[in-house]
Amino acid sequence: MTVPDKELFLSALRSIVGAPHVLTEGDLSAWELDWRKREHGKALAVVRPANTDEVARVVQACTAERISLVPQGGNTGMVVGSTPDASGTQVVLSLTRMQRIRKLDAANLTVTVEAGCVLQTLQEACEKEGFLFPLSLAAEGSCTIGGNLATNAGGTQVVRYGNTRELCLGLEGVTAQGEVWSGLTGLRKDNTGYDLRHLFIGSEGTLGVITAATLKMYPMPKSMLTAYASVSSLDAAVELLGMAHKHLSAGLTGFEVMGQFALSLVRKHFPQQRVPFAGEDPFCVVLEVSDHDSEAHARGLLEALLEDALQDGCVLDAVVAENLSQARALWHIRESIPLAQAQEGLNIKHDISIAVSRIPDFVRETDAAIAAAHPGARMVNYGHLGDGNLHYNVQAPEGTDAEAFLREQEKPINTIVYAQVDRYNGSISAEHGIGTLKRHKLAEHKSPVALGLMRAIKQALDPHNTMNPSAIFLP
Ligand code: FAD
Ligand code: MLT
Ligand code: ZN
């Protein structure tokens, strides 16, 4: 695009959203740099619409000029999907001004909310009315509902409530042509042809822009109790998970595992946190039970589970939070791992899923393969064991240059891990998506038939390839 064209284009954008909401100058790194600091892109402009109509008109203006758009929410994504490339030709479409909770329908157990609403704001609004919005992740103070939907985010409550997809009953969105699609029905049953919401959920901004959603709420449980236990192995953690399902049934709302090295990073970088069981035991587990009867009932169930598990030997030691602040402190340990790992330095992340029953063997074999090929590499292993989802991450050997490690070892380490994932019939992205970071890997690991179908959908919905064109697919 030539400069005069560019000025004309920018003034068209300004006339849609107002000049203060078209950013082109100054420090734009909040929009151009991804959370993990993997890539610093360059935006043609950051555009901040206030409502769906403005989104539609911005998309029309971009499509008319064949200018690419990168939708962005809280920019907390893990796979470099929400930031522009380095060309200076892509518009970042930031949804963060669209934060309204449009309607809370208590009888229908639904809430309709705009895409830029921060997850925690929605959780708190539901709680105020006596409801639970169960999506929960460590980035909840800054990630947005639009981003959660676009990545089909998981988090720590999936074992009971499912991924974001399972929480969504309807969507409003803007197509790549700039048309508004209103699908905010809030219906639990609707078999009138293709279920379009499921195309947009998990599409990472490549098919259109999500502007609002109708989401499920749940009655707030009377009690939510948290326990923290140390276990001698991943086999023991899996055994404990099986016992927890039996004892707690649908009351089991969270089951996370944390390797001792991951926990040591929390101790190192956040020394004010008290991390229990710092001993030799290789893994700890944090688990949560929700109960609609009473706290005494929940405590009885949890204590019975832990007694059985201690007797069986799969749990070595355990604590149950006495109150909400203790529960929060235990969860905070788990949630601090990604931040502690980021402070330790650049690292190689894997967000994989495998059948729960096969996880111990996977980790044993893959740890051994990495140790043999990359002596000293440190395994930061933690994740949502209840969902079979591990963050099987690798940190540079102690005292070495993390940047050089990432540059030189990311590919060979990815190759080892993803070959193992294939052997175990797993997925190379359980919850973070593909973004730009994993698109090469998607091309290698997804079946050609599945990739062909995905490309056909992309071509049909976004024929000019203007919607987040660098994400998911290789050019
Ligand atoms: P962004 O990062 O802004 O965008 C993510 C993707 O969605 C991009 O491709 C973007 O183009 C697209 N997008 C954003 N908004 C829209 C929209 N309105 N319409 C269309 N496309 C859009 N993820 C998990 O799944 N589970 C976790 O437990 C988890 N924990 C995390 C913990 C930390 C500390 C951090 C930093 C991240 C974590 N994440 C986790 C990753 C991230 O928070 C989620 O992927 C989240 O859903 C992204 O939301 P966001 O608003 O920040 O989206
Ligand atoms: C988590 O479970 O903590 C997140 O998915 C973030 C991460 O993997 O770093
Ligand atoms: Zn996660």
Side-chain angles (χ1 to χ4, degrees), residues 35 71 73-78 81-82 144 148 150-151 154-155 204-205 210 431 468:
W35 190 87
N75 195 18
T76 66
M78 289 283 172
S82 51
T144 64
N148 301 151
T151 58
E204 302 184 45
I210 295 166
E431 59 171 7
N468 210 359

Side-chain angles (χ1 to χ4, degrees), residues 3 56 96 116 140 160 196 266 276 298 300 303 315 318 334 349 439 446 461:
V3 176
T96 53
E140 63 200 20
R160 163 71 180 87
L196 297 174
V266 176
E303 284 173 358
V315 160
R334 159 63 184 92
K349 259 187 189 297
R439 53 196 185 145
K446 195 101 180 163
L461 269 64

